[in-house]
Amino acid sequence: MLPLHTTGALSGLACGFLFGYILENAGFGSPQKLTAQFKLTDWSVFKVMFTAIVVAALGLWLLRLVGLMPPDSIAVPQALVMASAVGGVLVGAGFAIGGYCPGTSVAGLASGRLDALVFIVGLLVGTFAFVGLYGPTVRSVMALGMIAEGDTFTDAYGVAEPVVLAALVVMLVAVFFAGSWFERRGPGPVSAEQAVAGAE
């Protein structure tokens, strides 16, 4: 059986190496390119990630629609609204300050960037600090706004799945238009070559 057909560590490692290779070759392992999105001068990362989300959502829906995937074959994690909001703020702040997210920091380290190593050390320290502080109080705060386990927008709010997907497509188109408008007004997106050169 091929490695990518397994659900074990080998499959995860193979996919991780491929993902990191693509990230680095696209320039997404450079903090110069990543921080540019917070300045609204380069929307490449947002466009790529949002496109991946929409394509995956449409693909999974179509696979279920034609019967190639059972309806309940993918587990939807418990929706913790407060935990997601707090985590999003913290990750976003670290992203803006350090120029990396967890995945791109590993790609940056593999490319020899020492600032990526500093970011990874901070990531590990923060993770262990959270684990050490985690208790009943933190758990109760994180559970605020909790939605029933397994709920999707369709399940929780009664919105038909095609409507949710259509809304995602509209938002994706809006992101591309907004990104192009901001990039025309600014210095323009950072190319992969510029990102690599800026990190050397």
Side-chain angles (χ1 to χ4, degrees):
M1 181 177 289
L2 294 176
L4 294 181
H5 291 173
T6 73
T7 58
L10 187 58
S11 175
L13 284 172
C15 290
F17 275 114
L18 289 172
F19 183 60
Y21 177 80
I22 294 170
L23 280 179
E24 181 59 28
N25 277 270
F28 289 178
S30 167
Q32 180 182 0
K33 190 172 185 67
L34 298 175
T35 53
Q37 69 179 336
F38 291 96
K39 301 174 185 176
L40 302 180
T41 58
D42 188 339
W43 287 52
S44 302
V45 176
F46 194 21
K47 290 176 182 177
V48 169
M49 295 303 181
F50 203 169
T51 300
I53 291 170
V54 175
V55 170
L58 288 170
L60 291 173
W61 177 68
L62 289 173
L63 288 174
R64 292 197 306 273
L65 190 66
V66 299
L68 294 177
M69 179 181 290
D72 298 326
S73 59
I74 296 180
V76 179
Q78 189 176 24
L80 300 174
V81 178
M82 181 59 70
S84 298
V86 173
V89 169
L90 292 175
V91 170
F95 207 156
I97 295 170
Y100 293 103
C101 72
T104 56
S105 65
V106 175
L109 179 62
S111 301
R113 298 186 177 96
L114 292 179
D115 57 340
L117 175 60
V118 175
F119 188 91
I120 291 174
V121 171
L123 175 68
L124 293 174
V125 170
T127 300
F128 282 106
F130 177 79
V131 171
L133 295 172
Y134 192 78
T137 302
V138 174
R139 190 182 302 115
S140 62
V141 173
M142 293 292 98
L144 292 175
M146 180 178 64
I147 300 175
E149 184 175 357
D151 272 350
T152 62
F153 273 102
T154 298
D155 297 330
Y157 304 110
V159 182
E161 194 168 0
V163 175
V164 176
L165 294 171
L168 284 174
V169 171
V170 170
M171 286 188 284
L172 178 62
V173 172
V175 164
F176 271 83
F177 273 105
S180 298
W181 185 82
F182 277 105
E183 288 169 356
R184 284 196 302 269
R185 292 174 60 87
V190 179
S191 67
E193 292 77 12
Q194 290 174 322
V196 172
E200 292 176 347

